[in-house]
Amino acid sequence: MLAGVLTRRLSSMGLATLDLLLPSTCAGCGRRGSPCCPECAAAFGAPRPRGEGVYALAAYDGVARRLVLGYKERGRRDLAEPLGRLLAGAVPYLPGARPDQHGTWWLVPVPSRRSAARARGGPHVLGLARCCAAVLARGGRPAAVAPALELAPGVRDAVGLDRAQRAANLEGRLLLRSAGAPPAGAPIVLLDDVVTTGATLAAARRTLTLAGFEVAAALTLTAV
């Protein structure tokens, strides 16, 4: 009964009951206080090239890997904001990246398979992109998310596939969603959580380019 009263009081105050009763812990080190502590956030640095026009903030290892897996596979949706903030800190400084003629940065998230997205509680890279756009906007850089890509049915889980197999897996199956596309002529920044062989980002770039869009750069949190 007391717990119910406390829950109602906290809800009436507009606060997250669970966060107050069970303080957040860092998914990188387990420290209490925030989803990602400053020390673990420091595992991500300046964007480094990982292929033509592709940049990553960290190696897919150690703390960075634990944070990405926590968000992607272990239900830590509270990591979307801190990880999105890390992406936002790098987007304006990517070589070739720029806003459109009206000053808006256009972010296109790499899509997940529908079954994977359902299992994870939604498209996880789309969540990162939205948080990234919000942080950019708060910093005086208007940004918009364009969910312009989708995977057709039949795409396999890419775990364990080499570059050639990943490319074959995506051939003709990474499609343009015209309803989610940015305005014609807008330079695009592709976003993803992990780059492994680069096949997915290459397929995304190809789909967008064939549709007449310019992919100015691609940014990922981590690289294998």
Side-chain angles (χ1 to χ4, degrees):
M1 180 175 179
L2 180 59
V5 172
L6 179 59
T7 297
R8 288 193 294 272
R9 287 183 178 177
L10 290 170
S11 298
S12 69
M13 295 170 63
L15 300 175
T17 305
L18 185 60
D19 285 346
L20 288 173
L21 296 179
L22 299 172
S24 182
T25 59
C26 175
C29 66
R31 182 182 303 174
R32 288 193 174 190
S34 66
C36 177
C37 71
E39 289 79 6
C40 288
F44 299 86
R48 295 184 178 182
R50 298 295 301 188
E52 185 178 355
V54 178
Y55 300 86
L57 302 182
Y60 187 62
D61 193 16
V63 168
R65 181 177 183 272
R66 288 198 294 274
L67 289 167
V68 169
L69 281 178
Y71 173 66
K72 182 177 181 177
E73 305 290 359
R74 295 168 186 162
R76 290 296 303 268
R77 288 312 200 199
D78 53 348
L79 286 166
E81 198 280 334
L83 294 178
R85 192 185 323 126
L86 290 167
L87 292 170
V91 164
Y93 307 104
L94 297 173
R98 64 192 188 280
D100 68 11
Q101 60 181 336
H102 304 295
T104 299
W105 291 84
W106 286 92
L107 311 175
V108 173
V110 170
S112 302
R113 292 179 302 121
R114 293 176 185 176
S115 59
R118 285 195 297 270
R120 294 168 180 154
H124 70 288
V125 183
L126 177 60
L128 287 176
R130 286 172 172 164
C131 289
C132 177
V135 174
L136 285 168
R138 289 198 298 269
R141 292 184 172 97
V145 177
L149 297 169
E150 65 180 350
L151 288 170
V155 175
R156 298 162 54 197
D157 188 340
V159 174
L161 301 182
D162 62 25
R163 182 181 177 86
Q165 291 169 328
R166 286 172 183 254
N169 185 39
L170 293 170
E171 184 66 33
R173 296 190 181 99
L174 191 50
L175 311 176
L176 182 76
R177 292 182 64 250
S178 56
I188 289 168
V189 176
L190 277 170
L191 295 181
D192 205 353
D193 58 341
V194 184
V195 57
T196 304
T197 65
T200 302
L201 289 173
R205 182 187 294 271
R206 184 164 56 252
T207 297
L208 291 165
T209 300
L210 289 174
F213 296 101
E214 177 195 356
V215 179
L219 177 65
T220 72
L221 286 167
T222 58
V224 175

